[in-house]
């Protein structure tokens, strides 16, 4: 009589695979600890000190005074916080929706499909500062494209709009440039995810009488779940640390109405030589990121296991 050895628990198998892969991961892990984790810890440490950033200048421990200062005495912080939240919410809705629709459209056998894919992807490989300069020219009220279109169509009011000078619309004008730049990259990720959708499953669903929406909801969307996780995390991180576009187009103005947390942390530390409050803002940014990304990753991991 033969006996079968029970399979080890899933957690034990994962630990075993991790130990096997650890020697290969070690070089990258060491570099990550040195260049990423180390500066993060140093940034958190400096948030408890008063320091001008100059070599030789004393670092005076002040405890939580920097956090009390940014929360109660710094009106720019709350403006930057609000703008960052607006940017994140819009980024998780508008670019992702457009990218998914483009991926679904360009996954079909269309004439010139590869050309359209390349055209939509090109903005994603451009440097953000170059995109900022280009869109700043587009928004120029004197010789930009908006002024030219307004003149051609007989709409003089279009040339009078201060896209980057109006406090009410400046943030959204910069966001349009962000959408233009980020849609193509997410589209490529969704296209890669669509390749994992089994054509047999789609055909079987259609044979059962499912319409296009039912096929998408019950077949395509579940197959895209791993891609959704990647796109969500990358989009959230890219949105919460947006910096280049703001610097290149508005510098945080007008009247700090396009200020965001990443830029305000930089300006406090580098421009104002107040490394304590600047790193306190960066620490708040880190805490918000971890508070959103880690539970989301844990939830998606449980969903995949179940």
């Amino acid at each position: 009589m033969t006996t079968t050895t029970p399979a080890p628990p899933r957690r034990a198998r994962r630990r075993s695979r991790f130990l096997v892969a650890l020697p290969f991961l070690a070089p990258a892990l060491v570099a990550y600890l040195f260049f990423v984790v180390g500066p993060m810890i140093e940034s958190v440490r400096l948030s408890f000190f008063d320091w001008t950033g100059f070599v030789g200048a004393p670092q005076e421990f002040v405890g939580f005074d920097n956090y009390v200062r940014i929360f109660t005495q710094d009106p720019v912080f709350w403006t930057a916080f609000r703008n960052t939240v607006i940017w994140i919410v819009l980024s998780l809705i508008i670019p992702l929706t457009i990218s998914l629709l483009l991926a679904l459209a360009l996954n079909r056998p269309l004439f010139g499909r590869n050309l359209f894919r390349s055209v939509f992807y090109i903005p994603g490989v451009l440097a953000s500062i170059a995109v900022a300069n280009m869109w700043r020219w587009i928004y120029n009220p004197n010789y930009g494209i908006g002024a030219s279109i307004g003149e051609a169509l007989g709409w003089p009011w279009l040339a009078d709009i201060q896209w980057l000078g109006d406090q009410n619309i400046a943030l959204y004008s910069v966001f349009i440039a962000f959408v233009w730049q980020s849609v193509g990259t997410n589209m490529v990720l969704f296209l890669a995810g669509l390749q994992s959708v089994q054509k047999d499953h789609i055909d079987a669903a259609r044979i059962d009488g499912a319409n296009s929406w039912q096929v998408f909801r019950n077949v395509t969307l579940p197959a895209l779940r791993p891609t959704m996780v990647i796109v969500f995390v990358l989009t959230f991180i890219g949105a919460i640390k947006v910096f280049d576009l703001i610097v290149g187009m508005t510098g945080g103005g007008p009247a700090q109405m396009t200020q965001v947390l990443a830029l305000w942390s930089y300006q406090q530390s580098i421009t104002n030589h107040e490394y304590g409050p600047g790193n306190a803002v960066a620490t708040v940014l880190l805490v918000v990121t971890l508070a959103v990304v880690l539970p989301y990753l844990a939830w998606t991991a449980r969903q995949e296991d179940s």
Side-chain angles (χ1 to χ4, degrees), residues 256-277:
Q256 305 291 355
M257 293 308 295
T258 60
Q259 188 65 258
V260 291
L261 289 178
L263 177 57
W264 185 234
S265 172
Y266 170 84
Q267 290 180 340
Q268 283 284 74
S269 300
I270 306 300
T271 305
N272 301 335
H273 298 287
E274 295 185 348
Y275 273 74

Side-chain angles (χ1 to χ4, degrees), residues 210-295:
N211 56 33
S212 298
W213 166 248
Q214 291 172 330
V215 170
F216 171 75
R217 185 184 63 184
N218 299 312
V219 179
T220 305
L221 199 58
L224 282 177
R225 179 176 294 173
T227 305
M228 287 284 190
V229 175
I230 296 173
V231 173
F232 176 90
V233 172
L234 292 179
T235 301
F236 179 84
I237 294 175
I240 201 171
K241 67 183 184 67
V242 60
F243 179 86
D244 297 357
L245 283 177
I246 304 290
V247 170
M249 296 182 69
T250 63
Q256 305 291 355
M257 293 308 295
T258 60
Q259 188 65 258
V260 291
L261 289 178
L263 177 57
W264 185 234
S265 172
Y266 170 84
Q267 290 180 340
Q268 283 284 74
S269 300
I270 306 300
T271 305
N272 301 335
H273 298 287
E274 295 185 348
Y275 273 74
N279 283 279
V281 175
T283 302
V284 171
L285 200 63
L286 173 64
V287 171
V288 172
T289 303
L290 296 179
V292 174
V293 172
L294 293 183

Side-chain angles (χ1 to χ4, degrees), residues 115 117-126 180-181 184-185:
L115 175 62
R117 289 178 177 178
S118 301
V119 169
F120 286 120
Y121 179 67
I122 285 175
V125 302
L126 298 178
W180 181 82
Q181 183 186 24
T185 303

Side-chain angles (χ1 to χ4, degrees), residues 38-84:
M40 288 170 55
I41 296 175
E42 178 66 8
S43 178
V44 174
R45 185 190 72 83
L46 287 176
S47 69
F48 296 100
F49 287 81
D50 183 17
W51 184 45
T52 61
F54 294 107
V55 177
Q59 296 183 9
E60 180 184 354
F61 180 77
V62 294
F64 289 94
D65 288 355
N66 290 322
Y67 292 94
V68 174
R69 176 179 172 182
I70 65 173
F71 288 140
T72 62
Q73 303 174 17
D74 186 358
V76 178
F77 171 81
W78 289 112
T79 300
F81 187 88
R82 181 199 63 194
N83 291 337
T84 301

Side-chain angles (χ1 to χ4, degrees), residues 17-210:
R17 289 196 296 265
F18 174 76
L19 293 176
V20 172
L22 186 59
F24 303 96
L25 296 174
L29 183 61
V30 170
Y32 181 80
L33 292 174
F34 184 79
F35 291 106
V36 178
V37 177
M40 288 170 55
I41 296 175
E42 178 66 8
S43 178
V44 174
R45 185 190 72 83
L46 287 176
S47 69
F48 296 100
F49 287 81
D50 183 17
W51 184 45
T52 61
F54 294 107
V55 177
Q59 296 183 9
E60 180 184 354
F61 180 77
V62 294
F64 289 94
D65 288 355
N66 290 322
Y67 292 94
V68 174
R69 176 179 172 182
I70 65 173
F71 288 140
T72 62
Q73 303 174 17
D74 186 358
V76 178
F77 171 81
W78 289 112
T79 300
F81 187 88
R82 181 199 63 194
N83 291 337
T84 301
V85 171
I86 292 174
W87 194 283
I88 291 172
V89 173
L90 293 178
S91 299
L92 295 176
I93 297 175
I94 298 177
L96 293 192
T97 302
I98 297 175
S99 299
L100 181 57
L101 293 176
L102 286 175
L104 292 172
L106 295 179
N107 196 48
R108 299 172 178 271
L110 301 174
F111 176 76
R113 179 177 63 177
N114 292 333
L115 175 62
F116 284 113
R117 289 178 177 178
S118 301
V119 169
F120 286 120
Y121 179 67
I122 285 175
V125 302
L126 298 178
S128 295
I129 196 66
V131 174
N133 287 331
M134 181 178 66
W135 277 88
R136 189 172 57 184
W137 173 80
I138 290 175
Y139 285 136
N140 189 287
N142 298 319
Y143 51 81
I145 291 180
S148 302
I149 294 176
E151 182 179 356
L153 299 178
W155 297 344
W157 57 268
L158 193 60
D160 295 334
I161 299 177
Q162 298 293 323
W163 298 99
L164 300 178
D166 190 330
Q167 299 182 22
N168 297 318
I169 64 173
L171 181 67
Y172 305 102
S173 299
V174 179
F175 182 77
I176 291 174
F178 172 77
V179 173
W180 181 82
Q181 183 186 24
S182 61
V183 159
T185 303
N186 292 332
M187 179 200 69
V188 171
L189 294 175
F190 280 128
L191 281 171
L194 288 172
Q195 307 309 311
S196 64
V197 180
Q198 297 293 330
K199 191 175 183 301
D200 295 341
H201 296 171
I202 296 178
D203 293 339
R206 294 194 182 279
I207 292 174
D208 290 338

